Amino acid sequence: MMAANRLKIAFFDFTGCEGCQLTAIDALQTHPDLLEVVEIVEFREAMSEKDGDYRVAFVEGSCSKPEDERRLQAIREQAEIVLAFGACAHLGGVNALRNWHPAHETHSYVYGEMGKRFESHAARPIAEVIPTEGFIPGCPVDRDEFIRAVKALLKGRLPVIPDYPVCVECRLKENICVFLHGKVCLGPITRAGCQAICPSYGLGCLGCRGQTSQANLNGLKWAVHAHRLSEVDFDQQMKLFQSYSMLKEKTDGDHGY
């Protein structure tokens, strides 16, 4: 395909570990055919060149500083399609754990006296700052799901993300429910697409892909109680990736920042 007709894609990083971008690099290395039909014009993890002309923006990381808002607005003005890339951009992610504490306390804890120099606010998903066309969930994103997303975009379609729980994939794999092993699992409320990787190795789902649209949180709480599992463990597991939504529901968007 001629360069002028290739789909121009850019990757942007905000507050996060950039593991999702590394997953994208790894996936593209095994799918060189895609590099013949897409043109990556900005990708700090993989290239130093930059070109502000792009149609699709993959945004990794949460919004946690005033300058992030300005960058996101600029990305939104340029891109036809903006996708939250990974749990931090999609949910606020692990970064949002700090939202449970006043900003000055976290700044002081991490940076000491230097903390006064840093201007930041509560970690937010990017969809709380700018309109987005969708998301690719996970921590990190699933490499195969990323490839499917790129192929969908090439066909002029948005990526289709599963909206059924991880439990479906567990049953298809004939896994023994980790609840029966005495472990808390968020699989009943978490959207599938990861091939139930954590429960398949005997670990409870941590909810990094976000909740399904019809998640039954009360039902999950009942299951935790019925299996006599620790409610403290359940609460901590929920907070790992759901802190932003939990605090938003609790305080109606006022995080004390």
Side-chain angles (χ1 to χ4, degrees):
M1 182 181 290
M2 296 185 63
N5 296 323
R6 291 157 69 187
L7 179 65
K8 291 188 176 183
I9 293 176
F11 291 83
F12 299 93
D13 50 278
F14 288 79
T15 304
C17 70
E18 303 185 14
C20 293
Q21 291 179 83
L22 293 176
T23 299
I25 294 173
D26 179 57
L28 289 170
Q29 285 180 331
T30 56
H31 291 79
D33 52 311
L34 287 181
L35 295 176
E36 297 178 4
V37 290
V38 303
E39 180 181 0
I40 300 175
V41 301
E42 186 165 342
F43 197 166
R44 192 177 64 81
E45 283 283 355
M47 57 193 285
S48 57
E49 299 82 2
K50 292 183 180 181
D51 182 348
D53 180 22
Y54 50 86
R55 285 185 57 205
V56 178
F58 289 95
V59 179
E60 179 186 12
S62 62
C63 177
S64 61
K65 303 187 295 292
E67 66 185 68
D68 290 348
E69 296 181 16
R70 294 188 287 271
R71 284 184 63 207
L72 285 169
Q73 292 293 347
I75 292 168
R76 178 69 276 179
E77 290 174 7
Q78 169 61 37
E80 294 179 21
I81 297 172
V82 176
L83 297 175
F85 196 48
C88 292
H90 171 212
L91 305 171
V94 174
N95 305 322
L97 282 168
R98 69 184 180 93
N99 295 355
W100 293 94
H101 307 281
H104 69 274
E105 288 186 5
T106 57
H107 288 177
S108 176
Y109 181 81
V110 176
Y111 301 108
E113 286 297 317
M114 295 290 289
K116 298 177 182 178
R117 298 188 179 186
F118 296 93
E119 185 180 12
S120 67
H121 50 56
R124 291 176 288 168
I126 66 167
E128 292 291 312
V129 183
I130 59 171
T132 63
E133 278 64 48
F135 57 87
I136 301 178
C139 183
V141 297
D142 180 83
R143 63 195 311 276
D144 294 328
E145 191 164 54
F146 166 66
I147 294 298
R148 289 195 298 272
V150 174
K151 290 181 177 179
L153 292 167
L154 286 166
K155 296 175 182 178
R157 301 198 300 260
L158 291 175
V160 177
I161 306 299
D163 193 25
Y164 50 85
V166 171
C167 293
V168 173
E169 293 177 337
C170 255
R171 292 299 297 271
L172 289 173
K173 286 193 165 190
E174 299 184 353
N175 292 336
I176 296 175
C177 181
V178 296
F179 273 97
L180 300 179
H181 291 298
K183 298 178 181 179
V184 175
C185 181
L186 304 186
I189 63 170
T190 301
R191 65 177 63 245
C194 59
Q195 304 306 312
I197 185 170
C198 292
S200 294
Y201 285 93
L203 303 173
C205 171
L206 299 175
C208 73
R209 291 176 60 84
Q211 296 183 26
T212 62
S213 61
Q214 299 185 26
N216 185 353
L217 184 57
N218 288 331
L220 179 57
K221 290 178 179 178
W222 177 88
V224 170
H225 178 75
H227 285 85
R228 298 182 179 179
L229 301 179
S230 169
E231 294 184 8
V232 173
D233 288 348
F234 169 73
D235 185 59
Q236 291 179 338
Q237 208 150 312
M238 282 288 295
K239 284 182 177 179
L240 186 59
F241 288 101
Q242 310 292 329
S243 278
Y244 181 82
S245 60
M246 290 171 71
L247 274 167
K248 185 176 181 181
E249 181 179 354
K250 179 180 179 182
T251 63
D252 194 27
D254 179 10
H255 294 175
Y257 281 73

